């Protein structure tokens, strides 16, 4: 949870310096200049997570400018899950405290005796909120106020409409897209045609094999699932598999489903890249250590050091590339000649990208007591003026197409960030209930991590590892069926699958990406 909180704070903090720049610009937008208490009203805005201690960051990001330009409106921020309450939960390592269900917590502040007017939430909840008629459809109001959906990036609108049965129930001013970054110089040197938009995973992996050459410190790797880490990283595989929505266990959490041809094929595909040294191993990072004793801020980032031909990175990765190129002479490093194309997709989930995050969707509660101000707020933070401000962000991209441009002084295929639909990692109500009532089910993913580590270490074949994962997972599911919150001594006392592994928590019924 601290990871989620930290990431949100990082994004919110960048708005603070921009606040003073926008206030004069929007001062003329003020709709009500009276301080008469009789004319004042409160707009209640719900958030998925928060606390009084970090509320100021949220206000800087979303509400301060709106309050300044709308004198008659007071903003009240209502977190669905309060960090202050969670940090004092009893986690003694023996008995797991039930984790709050984000959907249920959001529904509680939307349907209680004093419901919020606006809800700001992650894309993963959109389908459920629409399905339970908790969000007001926005298409009519957008038409009346001449807000054209075509002015927003297709990535954003297509994803929203798909979860809304063809309609728009929320809008977001920014999003965090990802793309496939590639080293233009390496492709030119190898005389290999570089990647292009619209490639599937098989095509990218075939390119990666062509680009893998050399040995030891001179080895160039064709691909890496992320800018950090080697091929032993199970979570990179989880992100890779996410759009396929492969289930680890059935909807009743009673039977494992990993011992199947599809799971076997996917694990073999990734392990084949590792075995053939197409993707780097953890040991390869030793060659990125500086030999002169000087600190290298890009140490261990093999793409930035010219040793990986292609990697997946989000929009903020451009900032690191820019920092490298601006300081290459000081660091005595070679500047990176690069570009981007769309994220590869699975043919079974065409044009769907797993690494696209819509985390700031704003929708109007169907039970809103102040629906007029709610629409005014949603409209305001999705306006052209707001998008102009957000276009300065180094971390997120504005949703409005007019402000989606390559950064000043840089040239790259910026459209690659906007073409694919975001993958919806929404869970079924049953999966959410299982995660909440059986918190120890997270150890299924730890077993999966152990199983994959046993494969890459050569201790088990893919078939053997998945079979062992099935057996050990079924044992755990049966234990959770009779004692969902009991101590996990038996689990910790067992040797890991294959006798090796350092799994970590996470996961769920359906394989889901490990991102914010």
């Amino acid at each position: 949870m601290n990871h989620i909180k930290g990431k949100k704070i990082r994004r919110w903090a960048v708005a603070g310096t921009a606040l003073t720049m926008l206030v004069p610009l929007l001062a003329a937008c003020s709709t009500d200049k009276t301080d008469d208490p009789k004319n004042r009203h409160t707009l209640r805005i719900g958030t998925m997570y928060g606390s009084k201690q970090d509320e100021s960051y949220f206000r800087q990001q979303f509400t301060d400018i709106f309050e300044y330009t709308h004198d008659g409106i007071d903003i009240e921020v209502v977190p669905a899950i309060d960090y202050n309450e969670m940090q004092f939960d009893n986690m003694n390592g023996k008995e797991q405290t039930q984790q709050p269900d984000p959907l249920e917590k959001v529904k509680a502040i939307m349907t209680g005796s004093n419901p919020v007017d606006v809800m700001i939430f992650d894309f993963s909840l959109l389908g459920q909120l629409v399905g339970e008629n908790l969000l007001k459809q926005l298409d009519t109001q957008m038409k009346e106020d001449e807000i054209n959906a075509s002015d927003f990036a297709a990535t954003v609108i297509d994803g929203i409409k798909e979860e809304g049965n063809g309609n728009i129930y929320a809008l977001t001013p920014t999003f965090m897209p990802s793309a496939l970054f590639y080293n233009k110089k390496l492709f030119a040197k190898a005389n290999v045609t570089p990647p292009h938009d619209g490639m599937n995973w098989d095509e990218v992996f075939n390119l990666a094999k062509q680009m893998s050459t050399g040995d030891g410190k001179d080895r160039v790797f064709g691909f890496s699932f992320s800018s950090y880490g080697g091929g032993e990283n199970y979570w990179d595989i989880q992100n890779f598999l996410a759009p396929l929505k492969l289930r680890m266990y059935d909807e009743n959490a009673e039977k494992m489903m990993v011992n199947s041809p599809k799971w076997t094929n996917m694990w073999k595909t990734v392990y084949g890249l590792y075995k053939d040294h197409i993707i780097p191993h953890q040991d390869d990072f030793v060659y990125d250590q500086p030999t002169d004793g000087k600190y290298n801020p890009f140490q261990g980032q093999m793409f930035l050091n010219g040793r990986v031909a292609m990697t997946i990175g989000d929009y903020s990765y451009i900032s690191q590339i820019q920092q490298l190129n601006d300081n290459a002479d000081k660091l005595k490093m070679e500047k990176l000649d690069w570009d981007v194309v769309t994220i590869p997709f699975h043919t079974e989930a065409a044009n769907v990208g797993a690494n696209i995050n819509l985390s700031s969707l704003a929708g109007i509660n169907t039970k809103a007591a102040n629906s007029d101000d709610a629409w005014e707020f949603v409209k305001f933070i999705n306006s052209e003026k707001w998008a102009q401000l957000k276009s300065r962000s180094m971390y997120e991209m504005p949703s409005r197409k007019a402000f989606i441009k390559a950064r000043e002084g840089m040239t790259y295929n910026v459209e690659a960030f906007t073409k694919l639909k975001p993958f919806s990692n929404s869970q079924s109500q049953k999966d959410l209930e299982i995660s909440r009532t059986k918190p120890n089910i997270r150890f299924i993913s730890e077993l999966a991590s152990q199983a994959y580590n046993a494969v890459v270490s050569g201790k088990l074949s893919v078939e053997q590892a998945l079979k062992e994962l099935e057996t050990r997972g079924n044992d755990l599911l049966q234990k959770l069926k009779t004692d969902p919150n009991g101590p996990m001594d038996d689990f910790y006392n067992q040797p890991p699958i294959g006798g090796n592994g350092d799994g970590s928590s996470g996961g769920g019924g359906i394989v889901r990406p490990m991102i914010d």
Side-chain angles (χ1 to χ4, degrees), residues 28-215:
C29 299
S30 182
T31 59
D32 186 357
K33 294 296 182 182
T34 178
D35 284 329
D36 183 355
K38 295 180 180 179
N39 292 328
R40 300 193 69 82
H41 30 111
T42 298
L43 180 65
R44 305 185 80 238
I45 299 179
T47 67
M48 287 185 65
Y49 303 94
S51 70
K52 286 297 181 183
Q53 279 66 31
D54 65 15
E55 185 177 302
S56 61
Y57 292 107
F58 176 84
R59 288 183 177 274
Q60 287 174 5
Q61 173 75 343
F62 289 105
T63 68
D64 281 347
I65 301 171
F66 180 79
E67 272 192 289
Y68 180 83
T69 56
H70 295 74
D71 285 348
I73 301 175
D74 298 316
I75 299 292
E76 180 182 349
V77 180
V78 184
I81 297 176
D82 194 319
Y83 292 129
N84 287 341
E85 295 177 4
M86 293 188 63
Q87 67 178 325
F88 298 113
D89 285 344
N90 177 29
M91 297 290 287
N92 57 21
K94 296 293 184 180
E95 185 169 326
Q96 300 295 328
T97 302
Q98 273 194 5
Q99 294 298 304
D101 180 344
L103 177 60
E104 290 303 314
K105 288 290 188 179
V106 166
K107 287 165 60 176
I109 65 172
M110 295 182 72
T111 61
S113 58
N114 189 16
V116 296
D117 301 299
V118 175
M119 189 68 219
I120 295 181
F121 56 95
D122 291 341
F123 184 62
S124 61
L125 297 188
L126 180 56
Q128 285 103 330
L129 296 180
V130 170
E132 298 194 36
N133 195 32
L134 294 175
L135 292 174
K136 183 178 180 180
Q137 188 177 323
L138 303 180
D139 300 76
T140 300
Q141 287 172 294
M142 289 176 65
K143 184 176 181 180
E144 290 174 353
D145 285 351
E146 299 181 346
I147 300 174
N148 296 318
S150 60
D151 291 336
F152 293 79
T155 293
V156 174
I157 292 299
D158 289 351
I160 290 172
K161 283 188 172 181
E162 184 156 318
E163 293 296 296
N165 302 313
N167 299 309
I168 297 174
Y169 287 87
L171 290 171
T172 179
T174 60
F175 66 111
M176 174 65 85
S178 294
L180 179 69
F181 289 71
Y182 69 94
N183 186 315
K184 295 169 68 175
K185 183 176 179 180
L186 288 180
F187 275 91
K189 182 179 178 181
N191 197 27
V192 174
T193 302
H196 56 81
D197 287 344
M199 296 183 74
N200 62 41
W201 280 110
D202 289 339
E203 292 171 322
V204 169
F205 291 157
N206 286 334
L207 260 187
K209 292 172 184 176
Q210 297 178 58
M211 290 300 298
S212 299
T213 59
D215 297 297

Side-chain angles (χ1 to χ4, degrees), residues 3 88 103 119 171 173 255 312 332 378 380 400-401 452 459 492 508 516:
H3 165 69
F88 298 113
L103 177 60
M119 189 68 219
L171 290 171
K255 181 180 179 181
I312 301 294
K332 296 184 171 147
V378 173
F380 181 84
R400 283 184 170 268
K401 291 191 293 188
Y452 183 71
K459 297 190 175 184
Y492 289 117
D516 179 21

Side-chain angles (χ1 to χ4, degrees), residues 150-430:
S150 60
D151 291 336
F152 293 79
T155 293
V156 174
I157 292 299
D158 289 351
I160 290 172
K161 283 188 172 181
E162 184 156 318
E163 293 296 296
N165 302 313
N167 299 309
I168 297 174
Y169 287 87
L171 290 171
T172 179
T174 60
F175 66 111
M176 174 65 85
S178 294
L180 179 69
F181 289 71
Y182 69 94
N183 186 315
K184 295 169 68 175
K185 183 176 179 180
L186 288 180
F187 275 91
K189 182 179 178 181
N191 197 27
V192 174
T193 302
H196 56 81
D197 287 344
M199 296 183 74
N200 62 41
W201 280 110
D202 289 339
E203 292 171 322
V204 169
F205 291 157
N206 286 334
L207 260 187
K209 292 172 184 176
Q210 297 178 58
M211 290 300 298
S212 299
T213 59
D215 297 297
K217 64 182 178 58
D218 298 319
R219 177 71 173 174
V220 172
F221 302 94
F223 176 74
S224 177
F225 282 103
S226 65
S227 56
Y228 291 96
E232 299 92 339
N233 190 344
Y234 171 71
W235 304 127
D236 287 338
I237 297 175
Q238 190 148 326
N239 281 330
F240 165 65
L241 292 176
L244 297 176
K245 297 189 177 182
L246 295 177
R247 296 196 64 88
M248 298 188 75
Y249 47 81
D250 70 335
E251 291 187 353
N252 295 317
E254 294 178 349
K255 181 180 179 181
M256 293 293 290
M257 301 181 68
V258 295
N259 191 16
S260 69
K262 190 65 175 180
W263 275 97
T264 301
N265 181 54
M266 289 295 101
W267 274 36
K268 281 188 172 181
T269 296
V270 179
Y271 174 59
L273 297 172
Y274 176 87
K275 182 181 64 174
D276 296 338
H277 226 176
I278 307 302
I279 57 180
H281 300 184
Q282 201 64 48
D283 292 344
D284 294 312
F285 286 84
V286 69
Y287 296 117
D288 274 353
Q289 307 294 324
T291 57
D292 56 6
K294 293 182 179 179
Y295 171 67
N296 175 7
F298 303 105
Q299 178 179 314
Q301 297 200 51
M302 300 184 77
F303 179 78
L304 297 184
N305 287 301
R307 298 196 56 218
V308 167
M310 299 179 288
T311 191
I312 301 294
D314 64 33
Y315 179 66
S316 67
Y317 195 47
I318 296 174
S319 296
Q320 294 188 57
I321 296 175
Q322 188 173 28
Q323 188 180 36
L324 165 64
N325 287 346
D326 288 348
N327 296 280
D329 292 339
K330 296 178 185 177
L331 297 168
K332 296 184 171 147
M333 293 177 65
E334 185 176 346
K335 289 186 177 181
L336 189 67
D337 189 11
W338 64 284
D339 209 335
V340 290
V341 297
T342 52
I343 304 172
F345 54 81
H346 296 277
T347 54
E348 302 96 318
N351 298 316
V352 175
N355 302 62
I356 303 169
N357 190 18
L358 279 61
S359 62
S360 301
L361 286 165
I364 300 174
N365 190 354
T366 53
K367 297 183 180 297
N370 189 0
S371 59
D372 289 341
D373 287 342
W375 169 241
E376 188 65 26
F377 174 78
V378 173
K379 181 173 65 173
F380 181 84
I381 66 170
N382 288 283
S383 66
E384 290 188 21
K385 291 184 182 295
W386 189 267
Q388 184 177 11
L389 168 67
K390 293 304 178 183
S391 66
R392 304 185 184 105
S393 172
M394 297 293 104
Y395 301 105
E396 294 187 307
M397 186 173 269
S399 295
R400 283 184 170 268
K401 291 191 293 188
F403 299 96
I404 298 176
K405 301 175 182 178
R407 296 187 188 177
E408 187 175 353
M410 304 179 79
T411 303
Y412 52 89
N413 176 23
V414 68
E415 289 82 9
F417 290 102
T418 68
K419 291 183 176 180
L420 299 188
K421 292 183 295 186
F423 159 69
S424 173
N425 64 339
S426 59
Q427 292 179 283
S428 69
Q429 188 62 43
K430 205 161 191 179

